[in-house]
Amino acid sequence: MFDPVINSLPAFFAYFATATAMLAGFVALYVMVTPYREISLIRAGNEAAAISLGGAVIGFALPLAVSVAVSHNLHAMIGWGLVAGVVQLLVFVAARLALPRINQNIPEGRMASGIFLALLSIAVGILNAGCIA
């Protein structure tokens, strides 16, 4: 009864470990690209920073999860994960172009900017995931 699950455990752990590492790598890269320090802002209670970073994480995790589901090997999953990461970084660039003061608004705790960036990241992540499927 559990044989298919037990036999699939090595693949599960390989995909899960790779996806987790890619998620951690994306977060590290994202916080380096943004001109403000999200982690410090979040530790200080800045809700706009928490929401915007959370949206970027979800916006990356959605297409990454789809890439795990549809990829037949780790290399394809990693490739789609890299595409998803680039797309999310471009979302941040687009948000900066649309709202030039977003770099000041989020550190100041202005929720509208944090929510806008989060929802834009999630929406593009959903579209990205659909394109991978």
Short mmCIF file of all heavy atoms in Angstrom, two decimals, residues 34-38 40-42 44-50 52 92 100-111 113-114 117:
data_model
loop_
_atom_site.label_atom_id
_atom_site.label_comp_id
_atom_site.label_asym_id
_atom_site.label_seq_id
_atom_site.Cartn_x
_atom_site.Cartn_y
_atom_site.Cartn_z
N THR A 34 16.73 44.99 -3.90
CA THR A 34 15.94 46.13 -3.45
C THR A 34 16.84 47.10 -2.70
O THR A 34 17.77 46.68 -2.00
CB THR A 34 14.77 45.68 -2.55
OG1 THR A 34 15.29 44.96 -1.45
CG2 THR A 34 13.78 44.82 -3.33
N PRO A 35 16.58 48.39 -2.83
CA PRO A 35 17.46 49.38 -2.21
C PRO A 35 17.25 49.56 -0.70
O PRO A 35 17.94 50.35 -0.07
CB PRO A 35 17.13 50.66 -2.96
CG PRO A 35 15.73 50.48 -3.42
CD PRO A 35 15.57 49.01 -3.68
N TYR A 36 16.30 48.86 -0.14
CA TYR A 36 16.07 48.93 1.30
C TYR A 36 16.24 47.54 1.88
O TYR A 36 16.21 46.54 1.18
CB TYR A 36 14.66 49.48 1.61
CG TYR A 36 13.58 48.95 0.71
CD1 TYR A 36 12.94 47.75 0.97
CD2 TYR A 36 13.21 49.64 -0.44
CE1 TYR A 36 11.97 47.25 0.14
CE2 TYR A 36 12.23 49.15 -1.29
CZ TYR A 36 11.62 47.95 -0.99
OH TYR A 36 10.65 47.45 -1.83
N ARG A 37 16.43 47.46 3.16
CA ARG A 37 16.71 46.19 3.83
C ARG A 37 15.43 45.63 4.45
O ARG A 37 15.06 45.99 5.57
CB ARG A 37 17.79 46.38 4.90
CG ARG A 37 19.10 46.88 4.33
CD ARG A 37 19.79 45.77 3.55
NE ARG A 37 20.74 46.32 2.59
CZ ARG A 37 20.68 46.09 1.29
NH1 ARG A 37 19.72 45.36 0.77
NH2 ARG A 37 21.58 46.59 0.47
N GLU A 38 14.76 44.76 3.70
CA GLU A 38 13.47 44.23 4.14
C GLU A 38 13.55 43.54 5.49
O GLU A 38 12.69 43.75 6.35
CB GLU A 38 12.90 43.21 3.13
CG GLU A 38 12.31 43.83 1.91
CD GLU A 38 13.31 43.89 0.77
OE1 GLU A 38 14.52 43.82 1.05
OE2 GLU A 38 12.88 44.04 -0.37
N SER A 40 15.60 43.89 8.03
CA SER A 40 15.72 44.86 9.13
C SER A 40 14.41 45.61 9.34
O SER A 40 14.00 45.84 10.48
CB SER A 40 16.84 45.86 8.83
OG SER A 40 18.07 45.20 8.76
N LEU A 41 13.78 45.99 8.24
CA LEU A 41 12.50 46.71 8.34
C LEU A 41 11.43 45.82 8.98
O LEU A 41 10.65 46.28 9.81
CB LEU A 41 12.05 47.18 6.96
CG LEU A 41 12.89 48.28 6.31
CD1 LEU A 41 12.49 48.49 4.85
CD2 LEU A 41 12.76 49.58 7.10
N ILE A 42 11.40 44.55 8.58
CA ILE A 42 10.41 43.63 9.14
C ILE A 42 10.67 43.42 10.63
O ILE A 42 9.73 43.43 11.44
CB ILE A 42 10.43 42.29 8.36
CG1 ILE A 42 9.91 42.51 6.94
CG2 ILE A 42 9.61 41.22 9.09
CD1 ILE A 42 10.16 41.35 5.99
N ALA A 44 11.84 45.51 12.58
CA ALA A 44 11.43 46.75 13.25
C ALA A 44 9.92 46.94 13.22
O ALA A 44 9.42 47.94 13.74
CB ALA A 44 12.12 47.94 12.59
N GLY A 45 9.20 46.00 12.60
CA GLY A 45 7.74 46.08 12.60
C GLY A 45 7.15 46.75 11.38
O GLY A 45 5.97 47.11 11.39
N ASN A 46 7.92 46.91 10.32
CA ASN A 46 7.42 47.57 9.11
C ASN A 46 6.54 46.59 8.33
O ASN A 46 7.02 45.66 7.69
CB ASN A 46 8.59 48.04 8.25
CG ASN A 46 8.15 48.85 7.05
OD1 ASN A 46 7.26 48.47 6.33
ND2 ASN A 46 8.81 49.98 6.85
N GLU A 47 5.23 46.83 8.39
CA GLU A 47 4.27 45.94 7.74
C GLU A 47 4.32 46.03 6.23
O GLU A 47 4.12 45.03 5.53
CB GLU A 47 2.86 46.23 8.25
CG GLU A 47 2.70 45.91 9.73
CD GLU A 47 1.45 46.51 10.32
OE1 GLU A 47 0.91 47.48 9.75
OE2 GLU A 47 1.02 46.00 11.37
N ALA A 48 4.60 47.20 5.68
CA ALA A 48 4.68 47.36 4.23
C ALA A 48 5.81 46.50 3.66
O ALA A 48 5.66 45.86 2.61
CB ALA A 48 4.87 48.83 3.86
N ALA A 49 6.94 46.46 4.36
CA ALA A 49 8.06 45.63 3.92
C ALA A 49 7.71 44.15 4.01
O ALA A 49 8.05 43.37 3.11
CB ALA A 49 9.31 45.94 4.75
N ALA A 50 7.04 43.75 5.07
CA ALA A 50 6.65 42.35 5.24
C ALA A 50 5.69 41.91 4.15
O ALA A 50 5.83 40.83 3.57
CB ALA A 50 6.04 42.13 6.61
N SER A 52 5.23 43.33 1.13
CA SER A 52 5.84 43.35 -0.20
C SER A 52 6.78 42.16 -0.38
O SER A 52 6.78 41.51 -1.44
CB SER A 52 6.56 44.67 -0.46
OG SER A 52 7.69 44.81 0.37
N PHE A 92 9.58 43.81 -9.81
CA PHE A 92 10.03 44.90 -8.94
C PHE A 92 10.47 46.10 -9.76
O PHE A 92 10.15 47.24 -9.43
CB PHE A 92 11.16 44.43 -8.02
CG PHE A 92 11.68 45.52 -7.14
CD1 PHE A 92 10.94 45.96 -6.06
CD2 PHE A 92 12.89 46.14 -7.40
CE1 PHE A 92 11.38 47.00 -5.25
CE2 PHE A 92 13.35 47.17 -6.60
CZ PHE A 92 12.60 47.60 -5.52
N PRO A 100 7.58 55.63 -8.82
CA PRO A 100 8.99 55.96 -8.55
C PRO A 100 9.31 56.13 -7.06
O PRO A 100 10.45 55.91 -6.66
CB PRO A 100 9.20 57.28 -9.30
CG PRO A 100 8.14 57.31 -10.34
CD PRO A 100 6.97 56.55 -9.77
N ARG A 101 8.34 56.47 -6.25
CA ARG A 101 8.60 56.68 -4.81
C ARG A 101 8.46 55.40 -3.99
O ARG A 101 8.56 55.43 -2.77
CB ARG A 101 7.67 57.75 -4.26
CG ARG A 101 8.03 59.14 -4.77
CD ARG A 101 7.50 60.28 -3.93
NE ARG A 101 7.38 60.07 -2.50
CZ ARG A 101 8.36 60.25 -1.61
NH1 ARG A 101 9.55 60.63 -2.00
NH2 ARG A 101 8.14 60.06 -0.33
N ILE A 102 8.26 54.27 -4.66
CA ILE A 102 8.07 53.02 -3.91
C ILE A 102 9.29 52.70 -3.05
O ILE A 102 9.17 52.14 -1.97
CB ILE A 102 7.70 51.85 -4.85
CG1 ILE A 102 7.01 50.74 -4.07
CG2 ILE A 102 8.91 51.33 -5.61
CD1 ILE A 102 6.29 49.74 -4.93
N ASN A 103 10.47 53.11 -3.50
CA ASN A 103 11.69 52.88 -2.73
C ASN A 103 11.72 53.65 -1.42
O ASN A 103 12.40 53.26 -0.48
CB ASN A 103 12.93 53.23 -3.54
CG ASN A 103 13.16 52.27 -4.67
OD1 ASN A 103 12.62 51.18 -4.69
ND2 ASN A 103 13.97 52.67 -5.63
N GLN A 104 11.02 54.77 -1.37
CA GLN A 104 10.91 55.53 -0.12
C GLN A 104 9.68 55.12 0.67
O GLN A 104 9.70 55.11 1.90
CB GLN A 104 10.84 57.04 -0.41
CG GLN A 104 12.11 57.64 -0.98
CD GLN A 104 12.20 57.46 -2.50
OE1 GLN A 104 11.20 57.39 -3.18
NE2 GLN A 104 13.42 57.37 -3.00
N ASN A 105 8.60 54.79 -0.05
CA ASN A 105 7.33 54.50 0.62
C ASN A 105 7.39 53.24 1.48
O ASN A 105 6.86 53.23 2.59
CB ASN A 105 6.21 54.37 -0.40
CG ASN A 105 5.85 55.69 -1.03
OD1 ASN A 105 6.24 56.76 -0.57
ND2 ASN A 105 5.10 55.64 -2.13
N ILE A 106 8.01 52.19 0.98
CA ILE A 106 8.03 50.94 1.76
C ILE A 106 8.86 51.10 3.04
O ILE A 106 8.38 50.74 4.12
CB ILE A 106 8.48 49.76 0.88
CG1 ILE A 106 7.35 49.45 -0.13
CG2 ILE A 106 8.82 48.54 1.72
CD1 ILE A 106 7.65 48.38 -1.13
N PRO A 107 10.07 51.66 2.99
CA PRO A 107 10.78 51.87 4.26
C PRO A 107 10.04 52.80 5.22
O PRO A 107 10.18 52.67 6.44
CB PRO A 107 12.11 52.49 3.83
CG PRO A 107 12.30 52.04 2.43
CD PRO A 107 10.92 51.97 1.85
N GLU A 108 9.22 53.71 4.68
CA GLU A 108 8.43 54.60 5.53
C GLU A 108 7.18 53.91 6.06
O GLU A 108 6.43 54.51 6.83
CB GLU A 108 8.03 55.85 4.74
CG GLU A 108 9.20 56.76 4.42
CD GLU A 108 8.84 57.90 3.48
OE1 GLU A 108 7.65 57.99 3.05
OE2 GLU A 108 9.73 58.69 3.16
N GLY A 109 6.93 52.68 5.65
CA GLY A 109 5.79 51.91 6.15
C GLY A 109 4.48 52.22 5.47
O GLY A 109 3.42 51.92 6.01
N ARG A 110 4.52 52.80 4.30
CA ARG A 110 3.28 53.14 3.59
C ARG A 110 2.70 51.86 2.98
O ARG A 110 3.22 51.32 2.03
CB ARG A 110 3.54 54.19 2.54
CG ARG A 110 4.02 55.46 3.20
CD ARG A 110 4.00 56.61 2.31
NE ARG A 110 4.48 57.77 3.07
CZ ARG A 110 4.50 58.97 2.60
NH1 ARG A 110 4.07 59.20 1.37
NH2 ARG A 110 4.95 59.96 3.34
N MET A 111 1.60 51.44 3.57
CA MET A 111 1.00 50.15 3.24
C MET A 111 0.54 50.05 1.79
O MET A 111 0.62 48.98 1.19
CB MET A 111 -0.18 49.88 4.17
CG MET A 111 0.25 49.63 5.59
SD MET A 111 1.15 48.10 5.78
CE MET A 111 -0.21 46.97 5.55
N SER A 113 1.85 51.07 -0.94
CA SER A 113 2.95 50.63 -1.80
C SER A 113 3.30 49.17 -1.55
O SER A 113 3.55 48.41 -2.50
CB SER A 113 4.19 51.50 -1.58
OG SER A 113 3.95 52.81 -2.04
N GLY A 114 3.33 48.75 -0.32
CA GLY A 114 3.63 47.36 0.01
C GLY A 114 2.58 46.41 -0.53
O GLY A 114 2.90 45.36 -1.09
N LEU A 117 2.82 46.27 -4.45
CA LEU A 117 3.94 45.45 -4.90
C LEU A 117 3.67 43.97 -4.65
O LEU A 117 3.94 43.13 -5.50
CB LEU A 117 5.23 45.89 -4.21
CG LEU A 117 6.51 45.17 -4.63
CD1 LEU A 117 6.72 45.24 -6.13
CD2 LEU A 117 7.70 45.77 -3.89
#
